[in-house]
Structure formats: C-alpha cells, structure tokens
Amino acid sequence: MLVWILWNNRNNWVWNNVKDSGQQLCGKAMHLWNEWDAVQQIRDRNNSRPQVHQQNTQWKQPEFGWLKCNVDAGFHIEQGVTSAGWCVRDYLGQFVLAGTSWIKGKCSIIDGEALALFEAMKELERWGLTNVIFETDSKSVVDAIRCSYVGLSDFSILMCKIKQLLSLHLNFEVSFTK
C-alpha cells in the first residue's frame, strides 16, 4: 500500500504539480490497508455462507411521520470534481426537498459517498427537518459509521463528523440499500 501511495504521489507531482505531505501519505496508506483488511474479512465471511442471488430492489417509503433522504455521489474525472446529490421524500413518496453540490478535486469512491452523505445531513439540519432516514448505496460508509474504529485519515475525520451529527440528532438514521 505504501509503495503504491508513494508512486501515486510521485505521478501527481510530475503530472499535476500536486503532492501530499509525508503525514498525509502515511494516513492514506493506513486507510487503504484498513479498507483492504475489512474487504478480506467480509470476503472470508461471505465465502463461508451459501451464495444468495441478488434481487432487484425498489424504493420503499418510510413509516408515517418519517422522511427518507436518498444520497449518492457522482465522479467526473475529466473535470476533476465530485458531485453530491440528495432527494427527500415523505412517507407517501412525495417530493419534499432536493439538493446538489460540487466538491473540487478527485475523491475516492468511499470519500465521495461519505461527503455526499455529510452534505445532505448538514443541509437537512439547516432546514430543521427531523425523523430522517438517510439512504446510501455505499455499504462501506454505513459500516464505517457503525464501526468504533477511529483513525487519523481524512475519511476517519469525516466519519467522526457524521457520527457527531447523528449523536446530536437522534431522529437521523443512516441505512444501506443496493
């Protein structure tokens, strides 16, 4: 992981005139290692279970009095930006509110998905909305929110911010859906 991070940093310096500090490189390497280790554990666990066929999933409305906020990120490599979008619907499935934002710079998929979730949570907090289920298609982000691990990477700091928002708003929930 460290060699790949160093190689990638060298290429960014040569081709984009951008380089990270040693501390940032170490954090990225640790983050990648932890992600790889987590995937290996999940793979090992899944290999011990019988295969399950994937089924098509359909949007499910929340319970009466609740809102559902679907969140996703988009990656625009040519433009060097990541987009975030979210849409809120009520228990009848009717539109309530939506928003988009642009994040300068290229993000990893997990970072982009986490940033999209965080932006949606902050915006709904500003609007004073309560009883909200935030739904994302990033299982990695949901697992990281439920995990007690605390690291020093940018991703870990973002997870801490999301967890803090959830602790301040007990009527906010995060769930995963395919």
Side-chain angles (χ1 to χ4, degrees):
M1 298 295 170
L2 184 58
V3 172
W4 183 85
I5 292 290
L6 290 172
W7 173 78
N8 191 37
N9 191 54
R10 177 222 168 255
N11 284 346
N12 275 337
W13 176 245
V14 169
W15 300 109
N16 302 322
N17 204 23
V18 175
K19 67 178 175 179
D20 292 330
S21 70
Q23 188 176 14
Q24 289 172 313
L25 295 174
C26 182
K28 285 182 178 181
M30 290 295 296
H31 176 70
L32 282 174
W33 179 262
N34 290 331
E35 281 185 345
W36 179 85
D37 187 49
V39 168
Q40 298 311 306
Q41 290 176 15
I42 291 169
R43 188 194 69 192
D44 292 345
R45 210 172 25 231
N46 287 343
N47 284 343
S48 65
R49 289 190 221 149
Q51 292 292 325
V52 177
H53 296 285
Q54 184 175 354
Q55 297 178 353
N56 291 335
T57 55
Q58 209 172 0
W59 187 85
K60 294 178 184 160
Q61 61 198 50
E63 292 182 22
F64 176 80
W66 281 79
L67 301 170
K68 185 174 278 187
C69 178
N70 292 92
V71 179
D72 205 2
F75 302 91
H76 312 275
I77 296 166
E78 301 83 30
Q79 293 85 7
V81 295
T82 301
S83 61
W86 49 270
C87 178
V88 180
R89 295 181 186 195
D90 65 14
Y91 67 96
L92 297 173
Q94 296 192 354
F95 175 82
V96 174
L97 189 66
T100 61
S101 62
W102 293 93
I103 303 157
K104 278 189 155 186
K106 298 176 185 175
C107 293
S108 68
I109 292 172
I110 193 168
D111 287 339
E113 295 287 350
L115 282 167
L117 174 63
F118 183 62
E119 291 294 321
M121 292 175 76
K122 285 192 320 184
E123 190 63 25
L124 271 56
E125 177 186 46
R126 276 192 282 274
W127 279 87
L129 296 177
T130 59
N131 297 340
V132 181
I133 300 167
F134 293 88
E135 197 170 71
T136 177
D137 63 354
S138 176
K139 186 165 183 338
S140 299
V141 169
V142 174
D143 289 346
I145 290 169
R146 294 179 180 155
C147 177
S148 61
Y149 171 79
V150 178
L152 298 174
S153 69
D154 291 338
F155 178 75
S156 293
I157 292 167
L158 182 56
M159 286 298 101
C160 287
K161 290 179 180 180
I162 289 172
K163 290 176 184 181
Q164 183 180 20
L165 269 175
L166 288 169
S167 70
L168 293 173
H169 302 282
L170 299 177
N171 52 10
F172 279 8
E173 297 177 10
V174 178
S175 69
F176 163 75
T177 190
K178 292 181 184 179

